[in-house]
Amino acid sequence: MWHFIIQQDDLSSTQYQALQKKATLTEVEPFNEPYPNLCVFDVERENYPDFVDYLDLEGIRYEAVTAKPSREQLLNQMR
């Protein structure tokens, strides 16, 4: 399983919906100012190439990890 972390503000509603359809699970981690809200898309290994292709073609910045980060880990990365 791969976990893609994307800032919510970087996605249009159309992109968000397209990614939701390609992902196994979508979670939004809301943070207070000055930190942005993050979307975490869980993607099965066999769907990884299609997911990455879509992100790259749309010019969406992302971080892909194999170990799902906790809310605290996500916040620590932004500090």
Side-chain angles (χ1 to χ4, degrees):
M1 179 82 63
W2 285 89
H3 310 282
F4 290 83
I5 304 162
I6 303 171
Q7 285 189 15
Q8 189 175 28
D9 295 342
D10 291 348
L11 299 174
S12 70
S13 59
T14 303
Q15 291 170 325
Y16 181 80
Q17 291 171 355
L19 291 171
Q20 274 188 309
K21 289 178 185 175
K22 295 176 182 297
T24 303
L25 177 67
T26 303
E27 297 177 61
V28 176
E29 289 288 348
F31 294 101
N32 294 326
E33 292 290 332
Y35 305 109
N37 294 338
L38 299 177
C39 297
V40 180
F41 296 94
D42 297 349
V43 177
E44 297 290 339
R45 183 175 32 176
E46 59 271 6
N47 297 333
Y48 177 89
D50 291 335
F51 202 84
V52 169
D53 285 347
Y54 181 83
L55 292 171
D56 290 343
L57 288 172
E58 292 290 318
I60 300 170
R61 293 178 300 143
Y62 62 91
E63 178 184 355
V65 296
T66 56
K68 189 168 189 169
S70 68
R71 180 176 170 77
E72 190 61 34
Q73 289 170 324
L74 292 170
L75 186 57
N76 286 338
Q77 289 176 351
M78 293 186 285
R79 290 184 178 149

